[in-house]
């Protein structure tokens, strides 16, 4: 391998560069980044940056010392075997890392919709979150909840519109989502409500009601950013299809981060996880694979969110039908565990209980069985259940 092209200069992209160099790869590395910024972390965008306690979140990574040919503002636009087509011409490669992440979904309508994916998005939105502004947040998922947090703190009048029966229902189910209801005190929360369009001056609901807004933020999910691969001879299905080594169907190509749907040995299914920890960890395996080593990516997925003054953390992967058990009451610090049929721990959600998260993640990794009766007592440490 003489030249590796890394398409996408987000966390997964820059970590791929680091992992290649850490493994002694001495060839040329070209890092293509559609944005004009050097690589940065996204989690702070909806937290510290939106709250105004920080203006940026650049990754602490010395591109110059890694001798990477970083090309900001250059996009990958197409792929043929051995050649990445870019907005500035063809670029031959021996190895290719696809790390183009994901793009926010927007809704129909001519009104202005803010999304929150990039640093520029965050700075633009922050400037609009001023005292008294009427803000409509569409989607009560992770991003929606964090935006609502910042908007409330800025003194805005906030409406949150959610199509599902509860906040976070898409991610953790309605039963757990409903446990966060008290956090929405002072917010006009509309559940089971569908937006028809974002129009000038506000949001039109299905059914006709119009909700006026100065600022509309759409946080209804993302799509893997793989349109540029549409004409290429590479398997795509909910992102770039890769095996447990993160290898794509086209030789010499690996994919990592939000755009990659990998085969999980642990769960016996394909996973695409849009979380920071995946973008952090997967590049080690992808780099090894690209350099001909035998490495497998098989994590217990992990995620966190900071909303309404609470730390929400999730580890694992819960299949539909997994048994849900509660530890603690929603008024205080609580967590919840999903058990598989054989009483092994499938996933844990912890609210302000970081120990449950840390212990749960370890237990999931070890495939340990739990005692359901002990588990529902929040005073018994998870590791003793
Ligand atoms: P990205 O970060 O999306 O990076 C991909 C990069 O590729 C982008 O810079 C993009 O411009 C570029 N690109 C796209 N297409 C092309 C192309 N054709 N050519 C060249 N470049 C291209 N996760 C958590 O676990 N906890 C959190 O609290 C959390 N908070 C978040 C808050 C926000 C506001 C957002 C947006 C995400 C958050 N996440 C969080 C998710 C986490 O940030 C992502 O999982 C992570 O950024 C994925 O990294 P990535 O490198 O795969 O993709």
């Amino acid at each position: 391998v003489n030249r590796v092209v890394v398409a996408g200069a987000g966390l997964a992209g820059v970590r791929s560069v680091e992992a290649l160099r850490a493994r002694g790869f001495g060839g040329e590395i070209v890092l293509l980044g559609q944005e004009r910024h050097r690589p940065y972390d996204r989690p702070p965008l909806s937290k510290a940056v939106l709250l105004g306690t920080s203006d940026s979140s650049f990754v602490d990574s010395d591109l110059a010392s890694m001798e990477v040919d970083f090309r900001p503002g250059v996009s990958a636009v197409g792929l043929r075997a051995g050649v990445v087509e870019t907005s500035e011409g063809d670029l031959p490669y021996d190895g290719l890392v696809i790390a183009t992440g994901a793009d926010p979904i927007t809704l129909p309508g001519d009104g202005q919709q803010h999304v929150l994916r990039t640093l520029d998005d965050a700075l633009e939105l922050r400037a609009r979150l001023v005292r008294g502004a009427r803000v409509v947040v569409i989607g009560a998922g992770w991003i929606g909840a964090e935006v609502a947090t910042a908007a409330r703190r800025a003194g805005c009048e906030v409406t949150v519109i959610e199509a599902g029966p509860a906040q976070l229902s898409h991610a953790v189910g309605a039963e757990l989502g409903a446990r966060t209801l008290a956090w929405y005190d002072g917010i006009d929360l509309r559940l089971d409500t569908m937006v028809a369009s974002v129009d000038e001056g506000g949001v039109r609901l299905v059914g006709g009601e119009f909700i006026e807004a100065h600022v509309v933020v759409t946080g209804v999910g993302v799509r893997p950013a793989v349109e540029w691969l549409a004409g290429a001879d590479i398997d795509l299905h909910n992102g770039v299809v890769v095996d447990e080594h993160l290898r794509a169907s086209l030789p010499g190509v690996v994919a990592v981060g939000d755009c990659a749907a990998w085969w999980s040995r642990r769960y016996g299914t394909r996973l695409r996880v849009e979380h920071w920890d995946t973008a952090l960890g997967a590049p080690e395996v992808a780099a090894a694979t690209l350099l001909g080593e035998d490495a497998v990516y098989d994590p217990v997925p992990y995620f966190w969110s900071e909303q309404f003054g609470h730390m929400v953390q999730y580890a694992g992967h819960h299949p539909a039908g997994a048994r849900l058990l509660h530890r603690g009451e929603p008024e205080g610090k609580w967590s919840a565990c999903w058990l598989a049929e054989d009483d092994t721990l499938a996933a844990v959600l912890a609210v302000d209980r970081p120990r449950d998260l840390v212990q749960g993640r370890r237990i999931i990794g070890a495939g340990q069985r739990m005692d359901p009766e002990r588990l529902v007592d929040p005073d018994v440490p998870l590791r003793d259940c």
Side-chain angles (χ1 to χ4, degrees):
V1 183
N2 291 317
R3 178 196 275 162
V4 174
V5 173
V6 179
L11 180 65
V14 73
R15 290 280 300 136
S16 298
V17 174
E18 288 173 356
L20 284 162
R21 288 296 186 229
R23 285 176 183 273
F25 174 65
E28 191 187 343
I29 303 179
V30 182
L31 176 62
L32 302 176
Q34 188 171 282
E35 294 176 64
R36 296 195 174 274
H37 299 292
R38 64 195 161 86
Y40 58 88
D41 269 328
R42 294 182 200 278
L45 300 182
S46 51
K47 305 173 185 72
V49 174
L50 213 52
L51 292 168
T53 55
S54 172
D55 292 327
S56 67
S57 53
F58 292 110
V59 174
D60 181 20
S61 183
D62 188 352
L63 294 175
S65 76
M66 290 191 291
E67 294 189 26
V68 51
D69 176 0
F70 173 42
R71 304 191 189 173
V74 178
S75 301
V77 296
L79 177 65
R80 311 190 298 272
V83 180
V84 178
E85 299 161 9
T86 81
S87 50
E88 298 195 344
D90 283 0
L91 189 60
Y93 67 82
D94 304 294
L96 170 64
V97 181
I98 299 176
T100 43
D103 293 321
I105 296 169
T106 52
L107 295 170
D110 301 329
Q112 195 193 4
Q113 298 178 49
H114 290 266
V115 293
L116 185 46
R117 185 74 196 175
T118 67
L119 179 56
D120 297 347
D121 293 340
L123 295 174
E124 203 181 299
L125 177 59
R126 182 172 82 184
R128 306 287 311 272
L129 299 183
V130 293
R131 180 162 298 282
R134 296 177 63 97
V135 177
V136 169
V137 180
I138 306 171
W142 304 116
I143 296 282
E146 293 186 351
V147 170
T149 301
R152 277 302 284 163
R153 237 180 253 180
C156 306
E157 270 180 57
V158 182
T159 298
V160 175
I161 303 174
E162 166 59 44
Q167 322 77 262
L168 306 178
S169 52
H170 187 69
V172 298
E175 185 180 340
L176 289 184
R179 292 193 137 214
T180 70
L181 188 62
W183 303 356
Y184 285 74
D185 189 30
I187 291 177
D188 174 22
L189 174 64
R190 314 271 190 111
L191 300 172
D192 290 312
T193 303
M194 295 283 290
V195 169
S197 59
V198 179
D199 301 337
E200 199 167 317
V203 166
R204 175 79 56 197
L205 302 181
V206 168
E209 188 186 345
F210 188 76
I211 302 180
E212 282 182 22
H214 301 115
V215 184
V216 177
V217 188
T218 304
V220 297
V222 296
R223 270 190 209 102
V226 293
E227 292 89 60
W228 66 281
L229 295 167
D233 185 19
I234 187 169
D235 285 353
L236 301 176
H237 182 74
N238 181 27
V240 181
V241 174
V242 292
D243 64 11
E244 62 265 54
H245 311 286
L246 304 178
R247 207 165 19 208
S249 62
L250 193 64
V253 180
V254 292
V256 286
D258 280 11
C259 69
W262 82 91
W263 181 256
S264 164
R265 278 194 186 168
R266 182 183 298 279
Y267 298 107
T269 186
R270 200 166 286 290
L271 294 182
R272 191 176 64 75
V273 173
E274 297 157 355
H275 298 332
W276 185 87
D277 192 62
T278 305
L280 183 78
E284 285 292 333
V285 172
T289 297
L290 216 47
L291 299 178
E293 297 166 39
D294 182 27
V296 169
Y297 188 58
D298 198 16
V300 173
Y302 164 69
F303 166 78
W304 82 97
S305 166
E306 294 159 44
Q307 43 181 285
F308 305 106
H310 298 279
M311 176 58 111
V312 183
Q313 296 169 290
Y314 176 95
H317 170 70
H318 63 278
R323 188 170 158 209
L324 181 61
L325 297 172
H326 297 289
R327 285 165 64 74
E329 297 306 319
E331 297 75 40
K333 302 174 177 184
W334 56 273
S335 58
C337 293
W338 286 264
L339 295 188
E341 257 168 46
D342 59 359
D343 283 344
T344 53
L345 188 60
V348 57
L349 178 81
V351 175
D352 301 320
R353 287 179 65 99
R355 269 200 202 127
D356 277 5
L357 189 282
V358 171
Q359 293 176 15
R361 195 177 183 189
R362 212 174 290 141
I363 292 167
I364 297 166
Q368 202 177 307
R369 284 215 168 90
M370 309 297 284
D371 176 347
E373 271 165 39
R374 289 172 69 75
L375 194 148
V376 294
D377 180 350
D379 294 332
V380 179
L382 253 196
R383 61 161 183 263
D384 298 331
C385 296

